[in-house]
Amino acid sequence: MSRIPVILDTDPGVDDAAAILLALASPEFHVLGISVVAGNVGLEASVANASKLVALAQRRDVPVMAGAALPLVGTQIFGKYLQVGTFDDDLVAPTDAEPGEQSAIRFIAEQARAAGAQGRTITICAMGPLTNVALALRLHPDVARGIERIVMMGGAFTALGHRTPFAEYNILADPHAAQIVWQSGVPLVLMSLDVTFQALFTEADFAGLEAKGSPAGKALAGLLRRFDRSDVKRFGRPGGPIHDAMTVAWLLQPELFSGNDCAVGVTLYGPTAGQTWADIHNKTVQSPNAHVVNHVDEAAYRRLVVERIAGLGAAVPQRHSELRELHA
Amino acid sequence: MTATPIIIDCDPGIDDAIALLAAFVSPELDIVALTPVSGNQPIERTVRNTLQICELGGRTDVPVYAGCHRPILREPIRGQFHGKSGLGNTNLPEPSKRAEDKGAVEFLVDRLGEAARKDKPITLCCLGPMTNIAMALRIDPTVATGVARIVMMGGAYREPGNRTMTAEFNMLADPHAAHIVFSSDIPIVALALDATHQVILTPDHVRQFEAVSGRIARTVADLMAFWDRNQVERYGSRGGPLHDPLVIAWLLAPHLFETKPARIFIEHESELCMGQTVADWYNKSGQAPNAQIVTRVDASGVIALFLQLFSRYQAERAA
């Protein structure tokens, strides 16, 4: 089986934690590294959280690197759950795992250029503000060529915003970076609020995460309970979304999702800064620059996330050794 | 006296070339590196021009690092007064010197980071769009403490723009980069059109430079003659403004310049005023000054300084 070489660009963050654990639990991936960006929480806390997560998943072989501490141009805005800070030690055990010395931005650029030079490509799962990816693309014109696609969580098209009336957080936090990435010519798959709001995780899922006694599953369930993401008024039913994990899930099981290829863009400033538009009905002459996902098989997505993470490090000997071999 | 360590970030460009040739023969300046950027010309060409000028000036010892291939956000714009190659009608030989493998942004992050750790900050001379240093600042904000100051050519305050009604070329070419740099708390000396339009290199000056510049006299005269805007109603005489070389002149002879402190803001949102530099002369913003803006220049003093520098090429002497 040939594994998908992937960089996880992330600002953990609780839903990032789910995405990272899902990726580390999936033998389909060769996780080249975790490039961390300031976003949901500050850069230092994000890096600490990423380090805790690789230790939790017993994957300290995956390098964690610090990237951009600030958005490209605008004023810094943190996530709604800034108070998450560094994951509480009672939920995610402390670790002595240290981040790598290398800059996450240079890592992305070097991995992409090296791949491109050898006629290979890498995939990027982007789950935070796009600052790291945008800076990497600007470092050298060859970087774009080495990227197969960027699967990203961000934007809100038919859904309204969740941070301002019109803006989704990852885009709002660095709209200029989003513009750079979206106009880079690299194929994009967008998981916007339109689709991430369709899958809501409830207590039954949290219990499922813990069912096999996996430390990763227990930690994630604990985080999801402590930082309740439900909003019955908005979603019309109980449960909360786990936005970021959809990027990883799309790479694992694209058949769970459907969407359209369309032109997308972002507003850089003013009261609607961070608003994203998608030309779903072909009203512009611009050619499509993204695959905008608008539907998910909710039950199958929840099952994928829950089962994979519940099995991560759980005592199922055969599966476990198989994973270890793949990761070696 | 110890020489001031400098990195020259440039996009040659005729006036960049004159600035480099002046710096090359100034023992007061320790040129750590040259970091050409996309600007007046595409990056391949500004790198090539930089290498050619190094060879012309006998300074192949100075490392050249190729910088950003385009502005951070906006589409590239090019200079209009530098000729097809960027160096007027000169026809310099194909350079044998090569750029370093490392990119300019990576070099700035590493070298300025080292300067910060050793507490030996470096002066940055910015002669082009500020993309390289802006990228470095965003990749690693701690590099700011490795910069002693930025002496930059760009902007227009009481003077109108030279590329649009309100914008000077370097600022318009990458206003987002300029915004990043002017928000960085690095001390800045700003040589805007307000200053550079006070120093016009007239045809008479060109003849004087040709007379003193020894083995590079022909090329210097060609570059300078090409620079003549032939726009007397705007500049008050024939000739062209000595934009980028003023950065070097300020480093060597700050007494020839008068400055005023002010907070500078860069317009990066409005299409009409994109790249405009806005100076808070009378503290309306409530923010502390981030720059010394040059308001007056002793033009004849500057010309005399450069004539003296270029005469060093008679001795075939490299600094």
Side-chain angles (χ1 to χ4, degrees), chain A residues 61-86:
Chain A
D61 57 301
V62 175
V64 170
M65 288 149 290
L70 295 168
L72 277 185
V73 175
T75 310
Q76 188 152 43
I77 303 166
F78 293 109
K80 189 159 53 176
Y81 295 94
L82 176 62
Q83 81 276 13
V84 169
T86 304

Side-chain angles (χ1 to χ4, degrees), chain B residues 125-186:
Chain B
C125 303
C126 292
L127 313 184
M130 303 179 106
T131 320
N132 287 342
I133 179 62
M135 287 279 297
L137 284 166
R138 278 300 176 263
I139 288 174
D140 182 359
T142 65
V143 305
T145 52
V147 182
R149 62 160 59 86
I150 290 175
V151 187
M152 55 86 64
M153 189 277 137
Y157 300 95
R158 288 168 165 135
E159 192 73 17
N162 64 356
R163 188 58 181 256
T164 68
M165 288 88 78
T166 52
E168 177 278 332
F169 174 85
N170 285 341
M171 298 295 98
L172 180 67
D174 198 341
H176 299 92
H179 168 76
I180 290 169
V181 175
F182 279 89
S183 310
S184 70
D185 292 332
I186 297 172

Side-chain angles (χ1 to χ4, degrees), chain A residues 67-74 103 105-106 113 134-141 176-177 179-180 183 268-270, chain B residues 67-73 75 102 105-107 109-110 134-135 137-139 141 176 179-180 268-271 274:
Chain A
L70 295 168
L72 277 185
V73 175
S103 147
I105 295 150
R106 289 165 73 169
R113 286 180 71 184
L135 285 165
L137 285 165
R138 283 292 177 266
L139 269 180
H140 200 278
H176 298 83
Q179 171 142 320
I180 289 171
Q183 293 185 353
L268 295 181
Y269 53 88
Chain B
C68 288
H69 59 288
R70 51 157 298 153
I72 289 179
L73 222 74
E75 290 304 310
K102 192 185 276 193
V105 175
E106 292 92 335
F107 167 76
V109 169
D110 293 344
M135 287 279 297
L137 284 166
R138 278 300 176 263
I139 288 174
H176 299 92
H179 168 76
I180 290 169
H268 58 84
E269 296 185 347
S270 143
E271 273 306 314
M274 186 62 71

Side-chain angles (χ1 to χ4, degrees), chain A residues 30-228:
Chain A
H30 173 207
V31 181
L32 301 167
I34 298 180
S35 57
V36 181
V37 64
N40 284 313
V41 296
L43 184 63
E44 234 174 281
S46 292
V47 170
N49 289 341
S51 298
K52 280 183 152 198
L53 291 167
V54 293
L56 176 69
Q58 297 190 310
R59 289 298 305 280
R60 290 171 61 149
D61 57 301
V62 175
V64 170
M65 288 149 290
L70 295 168
L72 277 185
V73 175
T75 310
Q76 188 152 43
I77 303 166
F78 293 109
K80 189 159 53 176
Y81 295 94
L82 176 62
Q83 81 276 13
V84 169
T86 304
F87 294 150
D88 296 323
D89 287 346
D90 66 317
L91 294 178
V92 189
T95 176
D96 59 357
E98 291 279 335
E101 289 281 303
Q102 198 184 2
S103 147
I105 295 150
R106 289 165 73 169
F107 176 77
I108 295 170
E110 283 165 22
Q111 290 286 323
R113 286 180 71 184
Q118 297 165 15
R120 298 182 291 112
T121 51
I122 61 167
T123 293
I124 296 174
C125 272
M127 314 163 198
L130 288 161
T131 324
N132 285 347
V133 184
L135 285 165
L137 285 165
R138 283 292 177 266
L139 269 180
H140 200 278
D142 289 346
V143 172
R145 226 165 291 162
I147 304 175
E148 175 78 21
R149 62 166 62 83
I150 298 167
V151 188
M152 66 163 288
M153 191 279 133
F157 302 107
T158 57
L160 294 170
H162 65 166
R163 191 51 195 267
T164 71
F166 297 103
E168 179 278 330
Y169 170 75
N170 285 342
I171 305 294
L172 179 70
D174 199 339
H176 298 83
Q179 171 142 320
I180 289 171
V181 173
W182 288 11
Q183 293 185 353
S184 68
V186 176
L188 300 168
V189 176
L190 299 188
M191 297 294 173
S192 72
L193 298 183
D194 302 17
V195 66
T196 64
F197 281 167
Q198 291 175 22
L200 304 181
F201 290 72
T202 63
E203 178 52 39
D205 299 303
F206 308 160
L209 284 167
E210 296 173 315
K212 294 182 185 167
S214 139
K218 285 203 287 202
L220 183 61
L223 286 169
L224 290 165
R225 286 197 189 100
R226 190 165 295 174
F227 303 101
D228 179 20

Side-chain angles (χ1 to χ4, degrees), chain B residues 21-73:
Chain B
L21 290 168
F24 286 165
V25 287
S26 302
E28 299 90 338
L29 305 176
D30 167 19
I31 308 173
V32 176
L34 307 177
T35 54
V37 67
S38 159
N40 283 316
Q41 293 280 326
I43 185 66
E44 297 76 14
R45 182 58 76 165
T46 58
V47 169
R48 182 174 183 268
N49 290 347
T50 303
L51 296 168
Q52 286 177 317
I53 298 157
C54 285
E55 292 188 346
L56 175 70
R59 289 301 302 269
T60 50
D61 59 305
V62 179
V64 174
Y65 297 87
C68 288
H69 59 288
R70 51 157 298 153
I72 289 179
L73 222 74

